[in-house]
Structures are given as C-alpha cells and as structure tokens.
Amino acid sequence: MTAGHEKRRREAKLRRALCRQILSGVLMLDETEVYQLLCAASTDAAWSSVQLQGKLLRFRIAGRWNYPAFQFDMSSCRPYPGLVQIVAASKAAGWSNFRLLNWMMRPHLDFDGVPADALKNLDGEVLEAFLRDSEPQCHG
C-alpha cells in the first residue's frame, strides 16, 4: 500500500465517523413514515415528486433511507416550504446533504438555537441566514 492510498483510507474513515456523529443527533423518520405523512394529505404523486426531485434531505442509514424529522410540518402533512428552498440553494452552492444537515443542527446567532428548530415559525429567515452563510468568501 502506498502512503497516498493509506492517507485516503484514513480520510474516508474520518469522514464516515463525522457523518455518523452528525446523524446521531437528529431525529429521523424512515421512508415509510414519510410516505404516510405526505400521502395523508395528498396523493402518491406528491411523494414521488418530493423523492425524485431531491427536495428533501435524506440519508442512507443501515441500508434504509431516513429523513430528518425537522423538515416536516406535521400538522399540515408537508415539508416546510422554506426547507425545500434551502435544499435547492444548498445544491446550487455545491453543499453536500451532510454539510447542510450540520448547518441546520448547529446553533446560529440569528436564532435562539439551531436553524432546524426555527423552520417552524421563521422559515424565510432561515433561508436568508443560509444564503448569507453559503456565499463564497471574497478576500480583497
């Protein structure tokens, strides 16, 4: 094994550990629960539209797709509209789902806690904060 190969293996191992750490602190819904939630107020078309267009954060855990629960307004059986816009903006900025999840779960100065908790009442403000934080830094 070359030194470069060993370094890449170590880096991959560290990335996996970081991903596990990020995911461990998030309440998740499995695919069946999300399907039931979205179809409670709609049709199968809503489910396939959300799933296929990548409008939600989802992660494979132990071979199954899981979705962070903070994405959903349980009373109206739909994703928060601001979250859908944040996911789209994160993809445009080149952020991975893990990076966005980490951002959503870390305390933020604009909110009394984490952006994920602010989605319920301040989804527009969460989007604005994300757009500011995701702008490339320019140093003159």
Side-chain angles (χ1 to χ4, degrees):
M1 235 185 263
T2 67
H5 180 71
E6 185 60 34
K7 181 180 178 187
R8 285 191 300 277
R9 283 186 63 221
R10 275 195 315 275
E11 289 171 352
K13 186 177 179 180
L14 287 172
R15 267 193 311 277
R16 285 191 303 272
L18 179 60
C19 291
R20 278 193 304 273
Q21 181 181 4
I22 293 168
L23 291 172
S24 70
V26 181
L27 176 63
M28 294 285 189
L29 300 175
D30 68 25
E31 204 162 31
T32 302
E33 293 168 319
V34 172
Y35 178 81
Q36 290 170 347
L37 174 71
L38 295 180
C39 291
S42 186
T43 65
D44 284 346
W47 167 250
S48 59
S49 155
V50 165
Q51 185 182 31
L52 295 176
Q53 294 177 18
K55 294 182 178 181
L56 297 175
L57 291 175
R58 74 178 186 163
F59 301 91
R60 189 171 285 284
I61 302 171
R64 296 184 51 132
W65 288 111
N66 287 266
Y67 298 76
F70 67 76
Q71 301 179 103
F72 302 100
D73 179 349
M74 299 298 182
S75 62
S76 66
C77 300
R78 65 182 175 86
Y80 288 107
L83 186 275
V84 173
Q85 293 174 308
I86 293 167
V87 170
S90 76
K91 289 178 191 285
W95 282 32
S96 71
N97 281 351
F98 279 104
R99 184 174 180 189
L100 178 57
L101 180 64
N102 190 45
W103 183 87
M104 294 293 295
M105 299 308 295
R106 294 180 62 114
H108 195 282
L109 293 175
D110 289 2
F111 311 107
D112 292 332
V114 299
D117 291 341
L119 279 174
K120 295 175 185 88
N121 302 311
L122 305 168
D123 64 345
E125 288 85 347
V126 175
L127 175 59
E128 289 173 17
F130 174 78
L131 292 173
R132 278 192 317 273
D133 290 352
S134 65
E135 281 183 11
Q137 302 246 342
C138 296
H139 300 286

